[in-house]
Amino acid sequence: MTHPDHPHDHAHNHAHDDAQAIDWKTHGVKVIPGDQLDANTAQTPGMNRAAAINLARVGAQKIWAGTVHIHANAKTGAHHHGALESVIYVLKGKARMRWGDKLEYVAEAGPGDFIFVPPYVPHQEINASSDETLECVLVRSDNEAVVVNLEIEPVEKPEEVLWVDPIHRAP
C-alpha cells in the first residue's frame, strides 16, 4: 500500500502499529564508549581483540563488532572464523594479510582501506610496520566470536607477543 507521506510500497510494522509498544529507551540505540570495550573474547596469538557490539553487551543477534590491535612487527597465528564473514577497516598502520591453504597469497592495506575475509578462509594478519601499532575496526556477520586457530606452517612465522593489558601485566 502506498501512502502520500511514503510514496513507496512496503509494510509498516512500527511500534505504533502494535498493540504493545516497545520500550525504545532500553531497546533502542546504544553507545559503547571506546574505552569500555570487552577484551574477554576469542583471541589469536599476536593480536588483541575487544568487543564493542555483541549479544552479551547490547543484545546483537546478527552482528559482532569491535577493535583489533596488532603490535609493531607482530604476526598472528593462522586461523579462520568458521562460517562468518569478516570486514576489517584499517584505522592506523599498515596491514599485511596472508591467506590460502599455505598462506601463499598476500595483500596490504592502509588507513581508510577495507579488507573482506570470506567464511573458512585460512588467514594471518601481519603488522607490516616495525614501529607503529596496527589499529583496526572489525565487524563479523554473526554475534558469535568464532576463531579457529590452525596448524599451518606460515610463510611469515608468527612472533611471540605477550598479551599485555590492564589484567595481564608485562613480565
Side-chain angles (χ1 to χ4, degrees):
M1 83 178 119
T2 59
H3 186 276
D5 295 333
H6 287 332
H8 52 274
D9 209 11
H10 65 84
H12 285 252
N13 295 325
H14 300 293
H16 62 269
D17 294 339
D18 300 333
Q20 187 173 351
I22 296 172
D23 176 1
W24 292 120
K25 182 175 182 182
T26 56
H27 297 289
V29 173
K30 294 183 176 42
V31 174
I32 310 303
D35 63 352
Q36 294 179 21
L37 304 187
D38 182 7
N40 186 22
T41 188
Q43 300 292 336
T44 296
M47 66 178 9
N48 295 44
R49 291 187 189 97
I53 308 299
N54 62 13
L55 178 64
R57 302 200 81 205
V58 300
Q61 299 292 313
K62 299 176 184 175
I63 196 166
W64 184 99
T67 60
V68 64
H69 291 93
I70 302 177
H71 303 291
N73 238 10
K75 300 163 185 67
T76 71
H79 61 282
H80 70 71
H81 302 286
L84 305 184
E85 294 179 318
S86 298
V87 174
I88 302 167
Y89 177 74
V90 180
L91 293 170
K92 179 181 166 193
K94 186 171 197 168
R96 179 178 304 129
M97 296 291 291
R98 286 198 164 276
W99 70 94
D101 288 331
K102 295 181 172 66
L103 304 175
E104 64 270 30
Y105 304 105
V106 65
E108 292 191 350
D113 292 340
F114 286 86
I115 301 165
F116 174 66
V117 182
Y120 299 103
V121 173
H123 63 280
Q124 174 188 39
E125 287 100 340
I126 298 165
N127 184 339
S129 171
S130 60
D131 59 358
E132 183 178 34
T133 298
L134 173 60
E135 298 179 15
C136 303
V137 172
L138 174 58
V139 179
R140 295 231 176 83
S141 60
D142 198 332
N143 64 12
E144 302 231 2
V146 175
V147 176
V148 178
N149 291 313
L150 302 170
E151 293 295 325
I152 293 177
E153 190 63 33
V155 176
E156 295 187 47
K157 301 274 191 244
E159 302 289 324
E160 181 175 351
V161 177
L162 298 174
W163 184 1
V164 179
D165 62 20
I167 297 169
H168 305 86
R169 302 285 178 203

